[in-house]
Amino acid sequence: MKRFFYSLIIVLILWWTYPLWEEPIREVLPVRLNNLIDSISEHTGELLEKNDYLKKLRGHLSSPELLAPHANDRSEQETDEKIELFAPKRQTFSIGNVELGDTYEEVAKIYGDPVRESMNEYGLAWFTYHENYQNFIMIAFDDEEIVRGLYTNQDLISSTLGIKLGDSKTTVNNILGEPEELIHYRQFIYQVDSDNEYDIYQIDGSYLTIFYDTQADDQVTAIQLIDQKLELTKEALYPAHNEALREGFEYQLFDLTNASRVKQGLPVLEWEEAVRKTARKHSTDMAENEFFNHTNLQNETFSDRLINDGIRFTVAGENLAYGQFSSIFAHQGLMNSPGHRENILYNDFTKLGIGVDFNESNQPFYTEKFYAD
């Protein structure tokens, strides 16, 4: 019985990997053996389709854990799986069943290892978790591996007040009241000027930022939770920049863009290192020469700059942002601008390079370059 089972496993593996070895082996086999292969493939396929147990076994053998070379190469069925959300245990809001104050170990039990770690404006790292940008969540841990920051722009919001993704700004304001107008830091006061794109509330010892989609009837499109003590450690509105923060903003904006595309049923964009260099040069140019425009001081357009750097493309687009505290705020602002939103959600783009730089006041300049070759 064991010998039969092992033989069956071998047959299943050979049949399931058939597309990989069919053409190479046919080139060296005589016609009779090629006909035999066709016959075996046909009858094996019929057997599998008629037997529910064998179909399940085939699915197990072809699962991503056994065959995929990368953790993110998940099947469409797997990545579309929705996380079951539970009510927060200690606080008013949780994201993906994670709350401020949870531990790294508790998060790992839910999500495993992060896909990316990148520096944020608080001097901590955003740990990014997702499955090919489905169930996208960003989590910041302090030095003691305690959750101090949370963000998502997908349907992972749970609240004891019933607030959820897609609710209107009016609903949020009716439940939470008037948002904050001033935030008092140690050395300065920040006046919130969101242009109705987001509201900030103090709740459960944290700052809750609720972002709205102004292009979709001011619906809740994302939320961020930052521990109040962490927020108030800022000594300036814009922290001193360094290379780690620069790279962090670039990768975060890339991930946020893909998370928004997947949310709309669009394919994921590939990171393009060569185009990051082109984008960085434009951000540096704007920061150093104090201008903000798609056309630089040499009258070169965004497409001119791609061509000058030897980037071949059939279609391209560029998004610019300036002065936002982080890539999260920059991305939400771009999504609320019709032209920039169109680039982010354009189906025919396949690649993206992002470059960030800072002026003397530590204000970031963001350049996104989309294209297809």
Side-chain angles (χ1 to χ4, degrees), residues 10-29 33-34 36-38 40-41 44:
I10 293 172
V11 170
L12 288 171
I13 292 174
L14 288 173
W15 181 80
W16 188 244
T17 60
Y18 174 69
L20 300 177
W21 53 262
E22 175 197 9
E23 290 303 326
I25 199 170
R26 283 184 185 277
E27 293 177 1
V28 298
L29 291 179
L33 285 180
N34 277 326
L36 178 60
I37 289 173
D38 290 336
I40 292 173
S41 175
T44 304

Side-chain angles (χ1 to χ4, degrees), residues 93-124:
F93 285 88
S94 64
I95 297 178
N97 298 322
V98 179
E99 300 178 43
L100 295 182
D102 285 351
T103 66
Y104 183 90
E105 183 178 359
E106 290 171 322
V107 172
K109 288 180 180 178
I110 303 174
Y111 294 105
D113 295 328
V115 179
R116 192 193 307 280
E117 300 175 33
S118 56
M119 182 65 65
N120 63 31
E121 68 274 21
Y122 298 101
L124 303 178

Side-chain angles (χ1 to χ4, degrees), residues 98-233:
V98 179
E99 300 178 43
L100 295 182
D102 285 351
T103 66
Y104 183 90
E105 183 178 359
E106 290 171 322
V107 172
K109 288 180 180 178
I110 303 174
Y111 294 105
D113 295 328
V115 179
R116 192 193 307 280
E117 300 175 33
S118 56
M119 182 65 65
N120 63 31
E121 68 274 21
Y122 298 101
L124 303 178
W126 279 122
F127 287 62
T128 305
Y129 301 84
H130 59 84
E131 304 100 26
N132 202 29
Y133 293 100
Q134 297 278 359
N135 300 320
F136 180 83
I137 182 173
M138 295 166 63
I139 304 176
F141 300 92
D142 64 16
D143 293 339
E144 297 179 352
E145 297 189 337
I146 303 299
V147 175
R148 298 302 181 195
L150 290 163
Y151 169 88
T152 190
N153 61 0
Q154 295 186 1
D155 190 12
L156 296 174
I157 302 168
S158 184
S159 170
T160 58
L161 300 175
I163 295 173
K164 60 187 182 301
L165 203 75
D167 282 349
S168 69
K169 176 179 169 63
T170 300
T171 297
V172 172
N173 294 159
N174 287 340
I175 295 174
L176 293 178
E178 291 296 317
E180 298 290 328
E181 296 183 356
L182 299 173
I183 299 178
H184 295 262
Y185 294 85
R186 295 176 183 176
Q187 301 182 27
F188 65 99
I189 297 175
Y190 168 62
Q191 182 172 355
V192 179
D193 184 15
S194 68
D195 199 23
N196 292 318
E197 292 187 350
Y198 59 88
D199 287 328
I200 299 177
Y201 294 92
Q202 288 192 58
I203 189 168
D204 299 332
S206 68
Y207 282 102
L208 165 68
T209 304
I210 300 185
F211 296 93
Y212 304 106
D213 189 340
T214 63
Q215 304 301 303
D217 300 323
D218 294 333
Q219 294 179 354
V220 175
T221 188
I223 73 167
Q224 175 181 267
L225 280 162
I226 299 294
D227 182 273
Q228 187 177 45
K229 292 181 180 178
L230 177 62
E231 180 68 38
L232 298 181
T233 59

Side-chain angles (χ1 to χ4, degrees), residues 12-13 16-17 20 57-71 73-74:
L12 288 171
I13 292 174
W16 188 244
T17 60
L20 300 177
L57 184 58
R58 179 187 66 178
H60 176 69
L61 289 173
S62 62
S63 69
E65 288 78 5
L66 294 177
L67 298 180
H70 301 292
D73 295 342
R74 308 294 183 92

Side-chain angles (χ1 to χ4, degrees), residues 118-120 241-252:
S118 56
M119 182 65 65
N120 63 31
H241 65 273
N242 53 40
E243 186 61 24
L245 183 60
R246 183 187 198 185
E247 289 190 354
F249 278 179
E250 290 167 348
Y251 287 126
Q252 289 153 26

